[in-house]
């Protein structure tokens, strides 16, 4: 797991939020755990290596 954490706020439809939270609970996972996994998979899919990111404000995406 990462050493430091940062808050990530997402605005979404309340019904989707409720469905997401219920599904997470049914799988014995927290919404944060699932969200972190989705972000890791998205970065991997787009070949973004955290070691290559020198500036959080301007990440370089490999294409």
């Amino acid at each position: 797991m990462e050493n430091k954490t940062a808050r990530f706020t997402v605005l979404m439809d309340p019904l989707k939020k409720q469905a997401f939270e219920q599904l997470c609970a049914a799988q014995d996972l927290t919404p944060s755990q699932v969200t972190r996994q989705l972000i890791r998979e998205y970065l991997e899919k787009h070949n973004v290596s955290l070691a290559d990111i020198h500036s959080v404000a301007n990440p370089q995406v490999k294409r």
Side-chain angles (χ1 to χ4, degrees), residues 34-48:
V34 174
T35 302
R36 285 191 297 269
Q37 181 62 37
L38 290 168
I39 291 170
R40 280 191 297 271
E41 290 171 1
Y42 186 77
L43 291 172
E44 226 175 80
K45 175 182 174 182
H46 293 281
N47 299 312
V48 175

Side-chain angles (χ1 to χ4, degrees), residues 4 6-7 48 50 52-61:
K4 294 184 180 182
R7 185 170 305 274
V48 175
L50 298 182
D52 294 339
I53 297 181
H54 302 289
S55 170
V56 175
N58 188 18
Q60 298 298 312
V61 178

Side-chain angles (χ1 to χ4, degrees), residues 5-11 32 35-36 39:
T5 60
R7 185 170 305 274
F8 183 75
T9 303
V10 177
L11 300 177
S32 290
T35 302
R36 285 191 297 269
I39 291 170

